[in-house]
Amino acid sequence: MNLRKYTAVLLAVCLSAAMLTSCGKNSKSDKLVQNAVELYDAGDYQSALDELIKVDENDLKSVKPEIYFFYSGETYYKLGDYENALEAHQKAVEIKEDLFKSWVTIGVCYRKLGDESNALKAYERALEYDPENADSVGLYVSLGSLYISNNKPYTAIDYLERAEEIYPEQPAAHAYLAIAYAMAYEYEKSDEQLVLASAYGYEDIDSVKKQIEIVKNG
């Protein structure tokens, strides 16, 4: 489940505008960050990073430090450097703890690095700050899938039903619900969710069927 695609354009616009809320002239570091944001928005992530690593955090005047760390984290993430992405986003939420998007990326980075426990915590923190964000459906689905892998089907069902409530046509929510209901011995509901997942175009429906068979025969 891609948690990052739903609000990328809107987020970029909002954050770019937020950088210029302070009074005063731009410093050299401000200009570096602004250049980096333009390069990031254009998809030139390596050039964006080249600008960001030149920034002196103490020289920022109009750019908010959490925005600098946010874009550093997002740029590292785009380049596949999950450890540095994680570190940058952690600095961002230390400054402004309610940065929903940073908590999302923190969770994704932890999951990429194989730390499901901290991924769960980060996703749950994100939902504390903005449970109705456009990305929240993806978060609920990701939390559901993580709780399935941790053999906690009832907790998974709670999150996945919330995703289904917000976005009834979300195929992954139905696919994971099919698995979670099977784990909870609710086979009729599992069958219903499997039909919905297929109807809404879940791409790997055969894999879901195999997982359900393993659960039923396990």
Side-chain angles (χ1 to χ4, degrees), residues 83-100:
E83 291 182 354
N84 277 318
L86 178 60
E87 182 179 352
H89 277 293
Q90 286 174 329
K91 289 179 180 177
V93 296
E94 284 175 8
I95 298 168
K96 184 173 175 57
E97 66 177 1
D98 63 347
L99 284 176
F100 173 89

Side-chain angles (χ1 to χ4, degrees), residues 182 191 194 207-218:
D191 291 342
L194 190 62
S207 175
V208 175
K209 291 178 179 178
K210 288 178 183 178
Q211 290 183 65
I212 291 171
E213 285 302 312
I214 291 170
V215 169
K216 288 181 176 179
N217 298 325

Side-chain angles (χ1 to χ4, degrees), residues 116-182:
E116 291 193 352
S117 176
N118 277 316
L120 284 169
K121 292 176 184 177
Y123 289 156
E124 288 169 345
R125 286 294 295 275
L127 288 173
E128 285 179 19
Y129 294 118
D130 199 347
E132 300 300 331
N133 188 284
D135 276 343
S136 296
V137 173
L139 273 178
Y140 287 122
V141 173
S142 289
L143 280 162
S145 71
L146 281 169
Y147 278 112
I148 285 171
S149 68
N150 281 276
N151 199 31
K152 295 182 178 179
Y154 297 103
T155 305
I157 289 168
D158 288 341
Y159 282 112
L160 293 165
E161 286 182 342
R162 181 65 178 134
E164 182 185 31
E165 178 183 337
I166 297 171
Y167 183 16
E169 297 179 8
Q170 167 55 259
H174 295 295
Y176 285 118
L177 269 170
I179 297 169
Y181 279 134

Side-chain angles (χ1 to χ4, degrees), residues 13-196:
V13 171
C14 292
L15 289 178
S16 296
M19 291 193 304
L20 300 176
T21 58
S22 301
C23 298
K25 295 181 179 179
N26 288 348
S27 67
K28 179 180 178 180
S29 290
D30 293 327
K31 292 176 182 178
L32 286 168
V33 176
Q34 291 161 10
N35 289 340
V37 170
E38 291 179 4
L39 290 164
Y40 177 91
D41 290 344
D44 189 352
Y45 305 120
Q46 185 57 58
S47 294
L49 181 61
D50 291 342
E51 294 288 273
L52 289 166
I53 60 179
K54 300 173 188 174
V55 171
D56 177 359
E57 179 191 351
N58 296 318
D59 183 47
L60 294 173
K61 297 185 183 301
S62 65
V63 173
K64 296 179 179 180
E66 64 268 27
I67 300 301
Y68 160 62
F69 286 118
F70 172 87
Y71 271 103
S72 296
E74 291 296 283
T75 304
Y76 278 120
Y77 180 89
K78 290 290 189 181
L79 293 170
D81 187 344
Y82 304 123
E83 291 182 354
N84 277 318
L86 178 60
E87 182 179 352
H89 277 293
Q90 286 174 329
K91 289 179 180 177
V93 296
E94 284 175 8
I95 298 168
K96 184 173 175 57
E97 66 177 1
D98 63 347
L99 284 176
F100 173 89
K101 192 70 173 180
S102 279
W103 284 112
V104 172
T105 307
I106 287 170
V108 175
C109 287
Y110 272 127
R111 198 166 186 182
K112 293 281 189 180
L113 295 168
D115 187 343
E116 291 193 352
S117 176
N118 277 316
L120 284 169
K121 292 176 184 177
Y123 289 156
E124 288 169 345
R125 286 294 295 275
L127 288 173
E128 285 179 19
Y129 294 118
D130 199 347
E132 300 300 331
N133 188 284
D135 276 343
S136 296
V137 173
L139 273 178
Y140 287 122
V141 173
S142 289
L143 280 162
S145 71
L146 281 169
Y147 278 112
I148 285 171
S149 68
N150 281 276
N151 199 31
K152 295 182 178 179
Y154 297 103
T155 305
I157 289 168
D158 288 341
Y159 282 112
L160 293 165
E161 286 182 342
R162 181 65 178 134
E164 182 185 31
E165 178 183 337
I166 297 171
Y167 183 16
E169 297 179 8
Q170 167 55 259
H174 295 295
Y176 285 118
L177 269 170
I179 297 169
Y181 279 134
M183 293 171 70
Y185 307 105
E186 297 189 53
Y187 299 126
E188 185 174 340
K189 287 185 177 181
S190 175
D191 291 342
E192 291 172 356
Q193 293 297 325
L194 190 62
V195 170
L196 288 170

